[in-house]
Amino acid sequence: MKSILIGNAQGFWGDSINAPARLVSQQPDLDYLTLDYLAEVSMSILALQKERDPATGYARDFVEVVRSLIPFWRKGSKVRVITNAGGLNPQGCAQACAEVLRQAGIRRMKIGVVTGDDVLPVLRADPGTKTFTNLETGEPITKISGSLVTANAYLGAQPIIEALNAGADIVITGRVADPSLTVAPCVAEFGWDWNDHDRIAGATIAGHLIECGTQATGGISTDWLEIPDPANIGFPVVEVNPDGTCFVTKPMRTGGVVNERTVKEQLLYEIGDPDNYLSPDVTVSFLSLQVREQKKNRVRVSGAKGRPATSSYKVSASYRDGFWAQGTLTIFGRNAVVKARRCGEIILQRLREAGYELQRSSIECVGAGACMPGLLEKSIEAELLETVLRVAVADPRREAVERFAKEMSPLITSGPQGVTGYAAGRPRVHPVFGYWPCLIEKARVKPQAYIATTNG
Amino acid sequence: MKKSTTRRQVRLGEIACARSGDKGSGANVGVIAHTPEGFQYLREALSARRVGKFFKPLGLGKVVRHELPNLDAFNFILPGVLAGGASRSLRIDAQGKALGQALLEMELEISEKVLARCKPRKKNRS
């Protein structure tokens, strides 16, 4: 049995919009294209959209991606697409994609839809104090259940496999574990048994490596300055073998680099205990992994060990937690940092005098060590001739944060000489969504897969 | 092995690379030594306590270190380091993306002899 090629051309919502079409043209033998749109808080943004218009609530960018892939399918490309772009409305996303395909006269393609991840009704209906406790703080969900906005279980590969086996060319899901987008085609193609934990662990590692797109090909690498042709950085492709090992690669004649360092860095990205990487499909140990560069831009990853998955899904819930805004002003001149700090304090003082004691606030001087407060030597501040003042505030009252937004610009004329860089205008007020990670028993969740549309 | 040789300061970034990101209300920093000897050296020199002390001004809980000897790597868990978590933090680095770069600035004491074995080898050697 031959290996399969799985690429990722969207590491997050906001990633390069033409990356999917470019990857398919650069790697014409690609079997599967995975696209990840959902960060932790993306669902809450989609919830706001859906509140205003029930037909929305998915990543609209993906519909344009489908449009951009039509020329390849027309020319006979067999690439199948698996994405979590469905967000809170996979069905709506599928309809929009079907419409685009129909308009283009593409009639043979099947769109699979995966639902069942939305567990908000379950969380709202469960008054229990022992379930859905915050995984990090241990607090009971009753603390925030009144302000819940979304709650979605990270589904596994199984429903995606069902959609693929039903012949789907495009599979649109809501919340699923990111590596499961890669695990699904491996299980579907190779026919692995669910008890084949090591192989499923290997595919999970492959999925983990590509889920953030170019982070596997030199993006955010420590050696970033040395990567070749960064403007033309290639998106990652994993060649997964029937034994669960894989090669991490990228298309020929693209920029970036795949080597042992970039692969090891991405293996460690946003993980906890490396002996206990939890996914809905399998529990993975990284401690026996071997990473070897086989040739230029081709790294072999082998040795993954798997154990049965746990009996629960992780749930990512979000709740309303007031409002926030940030504003910046650039200050140039002698004692720039001292002047900037004073400007920040003036803003907070004026807010207090207007009757708004803000719940949280932060004054930072970018360029003077703001990213690592307290870590850098104070002595550099005296030498700085410029800094960017960044003030951020949060409060349960929208009007308090709106008032803050109006207190930045008066400093353009009342602040120190050398205040500049205010062209962006008034800060925008955003809602804050708190993140509530918790668990739900798998038996309480019903993942479903179906074919939404067969054109013709 | 303990033979005293000339000692000097080395920046962690000269003997290792790193990557960081948010993990709930905290963050993790992966550190990968350039050589197996470098990993052995960092086992002692880059303790969880040392990393915790380094990041203390940011305000964080107890640092946990996981070892991955197969990758010459460590994974440091930094609980609470983001001042409220990625979705609530008002900090400019709300996602902890800069923590790896910060840690690579850490100065460590090392002997010249050990340092020579911690530096990356020439390419095209296995």
Side-chain angles (χ1 to χ4, degrees):
Chain A
M1 199 181 282
K2 75 184 257 305
S3 56
I4 53 172
L5 292 180
I6 306 171
N8 176 294
Q10 202 77 186
F12 65 105
W13 194 352
D15 209 345
S16 168
I17 183 87
N18 60 6
R22 280 184 67 205
L23 182 59
V24 173
S25 76
Q26 291 160 343
Q27 187 87 47
D29 55 345
L30 196 67
D31 297 301
Y32 292 90
L33 181 62
T34 63
L35 308 168
D36 178 10
Y37 288 89
L38 302 179
E40 266 89 359
V41 292
S42 308
M43 288 298 211
S44 28
I45 297 161
L46 292 169
L48 289 192
Q49 290 177 7
K50 206 178 167 197
E51 224 172 71
R52 286 190 293 258
D53 178 359
T56 63
Y58 57 87
R60 275 216 60 92
D61 281 12
F62 177 65
V63 182
E64 292 315 305
V65 166
V66 167
R67 197 190 303 278
S68 73
L69 293 175
I70 286 171
F72 300 95
W73 283 318
R74 228 182 226 135
K75 278 184 275 175
S77 169
K78 295 273 184 284
V79 71
R80 298 166 88 180
V81 180
I82 306 172
T83 181
N84 59 13
L88 287 175
N89 189 2
Q91 171 71 33
C93 183
Q95 277 170 4
C97 293
E99 184 54 33
V100 163
L101 290 170
R102 201 174 304 135
Q103 281 170 8
I106 306 259
R107 305 214 164 269
R108 310 170 313 278
M109 293 188 66
K110 289 186 183 176
I111 301 177
V113 177
V114 171
T115 60
D117 60 304
D118 190 345
V119 293
L120 185 59
V122 184
L123 265 69
R124 280 200 172 133
D126 193 326
T129 48
K130 293 225 166 62
T131 45
F132 312 121
T133 50
N134 189 307
L135 271 179
E136 292 186 345
T137 62
E139 294 166 301
I141 189 134
T142 43
K143 191 184 164 204
I144 55 108
S145 41
S147 33
L148 274 169
V149 179
T150 63
N152 297 78
Y154 285 88
L155 301 182
Q158 184 56 40
I160 305 174
I161 295 166
E162 287 165 24
L164 291 172
N165 287 344
D169 301 287
I170 299 173
V171 182
I172 297 171
T173 76
R175 181 67 86 187
V176 296
D178 297 341
S180 301
L181 299 176
T182 296
V183 171
C186 296
V187 176
E189 294 267 350
F190 298 134
W192 291 339
D193 188 282
W194 278 110
N195 290 317
D196 208 340
H197 303 301
D198 289 350
R199 291 181 196 197
I200 290 167
T204 301
I205 292 287
H208 170 67
L209 280 169
I210 63 169
E211 73 183 56
C212 293
T214 45
Q215 286 190 192
T217 56
I220 79 164
S221 64
T222 308
D223 302 327
W224 184 83
L225 261 186
E226 276 122 64
I227 69 171
D229 193 10
N232 187 32
I233 190 167
F235 275 72
V237 174
V238 274
E239 193 179 319
V240 185
N241 301 308
D243 65 359
T245 62
C246 71
F247 295 100
V248 187
T249 66
K250 65 183 187 67
M252 306 279 274
R253 290 178 293 281
T254 57
V257 65
V258 179
N259 59 27
E260 286 183 19
R261 281 194 195 175
T262 62
V263 170
K264 284 182 182 177
E265 280 193 23
Q266 189 56 20
L267 273 175
L268 292 171
Y269 182 68
E270 290 184 352
I271 68 160
D273 178 357
D275 193 30
N276 229 359
Y277 178 92
L278 303 176
S279 103
D281 303 317
V282 67
T283 297
V284 185
S285 173
F286 286 41
L287 298 184
S288 47
L289 286 178
Q290 294 300 318
V291 175
R292 291 283 174 269
E293 188 167 324
Q294 221 203 13
K295 58 178 193 178
K296 202 174 173 195
N297 293 319
R298 188 174 169 86
V299 173
R300 182 168 191 266
V301 181
S302 61
K305 287 277 171 213
R307 304 191 296 280
T310 63
S311 64
S312 47
Y313 289 115
K314 187 178 174 181
V315 173
S316 173
S318 66
Y319 60 97
R320 276 182 194 279
D321 195 15
F323 300 88
W324 81 287
Q326 62 162 351
T328 57
L329 283 176
T330 302
I331 287 106
F332 186 89
R334 294 257 145 183
N335 301 311
V337 175
V338 179
K339 288 170 181 168
R341 287 235 160 78
R342 190 164 299 170
C343 286
E345 280 150 19
I346 289 169
I347 292 167
L348 297 184
Q349 186 185 333
R350 285 179 176 167
L351 284 165
R352 270 195 304 277
E353 285 165 4
Y356 295 112
E357 188 75 53
L358 291 166
Q359 192 179 63
R360 296 188 294 138
S361 64
S362 131
I363 299 171
E364 295 174 311
C365 294
V366 181
C371 286
M372 294 295 141
L375 236 77
L376 292 182
E377 303 241 359
K378 265 235 148 59
S379 61
I380 66 163
E381 289 188 5
E383 292 161 27
L384 289 175
L385 266 186
E386 74 179 30
T387 184
V388 174
L389 166 69
R390 177 179 178 272
V391 184
V393 304
D395 198 87
R397 299 159 295 178
R398 180 181 255 280
E399 72 271 16
V401 179
E402 272 168 359
R403 181 58 191 256
F404 157 76
K406 290 172 186 157
E407 285 298 346
M408 288 293 292
S409 54
L411 283 159
I412 296 166
T413 47
S414 65
Q417 190 177 108
V419 169
T420 182
Y422 42 76
R426 246 178 218 169
R428 277 183 54 199
V429 178
H430 308 273
V432 176
F433 294 106
Y435 170 61
W436 191 273
C438 59
L439 298 175
I440 189 168
E441 283 301 306
K442 280 182 174 167
R444 300 183 76 173
V445 183
K446 297 274 172 280
Q448 287 186 328
Y450 58 93
I451 298 296
T453 322
T454 309
N455 293 306
Chain B
M1 201 171 106
K2 269 268 168 172
K3 229 177 175 181
S4 79
T5 47
T6 331
R7 298 187 79 79
R8 52 162 287 191
Q9 296 285 109
V10 67
R11 198 172 55 84
L12 177 60
E14 290 177 53
I15 60 172
C17 50
R19 182 163 296 197
S20 61
D22 64 294
K23 191 81 192 145
S25 64
N28 83 309
V29 185
V31 174
I32 304 121
H34 289 333
T35 69
E37 292 85 351
F39 173 76
Q40 290 305 332
Y41 162 73
L42 290 175
R43 241 180 180 158
E44 298 238 332
L46 197 64
S47 61
R49 225 176 120 220
R50 182 86 203 268
V51 172
K53 214 175 139 197
F54 182 79
F55 283 120
K56 194 161 183 256
L58 299 183
L60 77 171
K62 195 173 169 12
V63 171
V64 175
R65 182 179 85 173
H66 297 285
E67 292 187 18
L68 297 94
N70 52 320
L71 304 178
D72 298 322
F74 304 93
N75 187 32
F76 292 93
I77 313 290
L78 313 178
V81 74
L82 302 178
S87 71
R88 294 181 75 247
S89 175
L90 294 180
R91 285 213 191 122
I92 191 160
D93 187 29
Q95 266 90 21
K97 301 283 185 187
L99 294 165
Q101 285 287 302
L103 189 58
L104 291 178
E105 290 299 317
M106 184 192 263
E107 295 276 347
L108 299 163
E109 194 176 287
I110 194 168
S111 76
E112 294 278 8
K113 204 170 148 194
V114 174
L115 178 58
R117 292 197 294 260
C118 295
K119 290 275 179 89
R121 299 188 176 86
K122 281 267 178 285
K123 276 183 184 164
N124 303 325
R125 266 186 59 183
S126 52

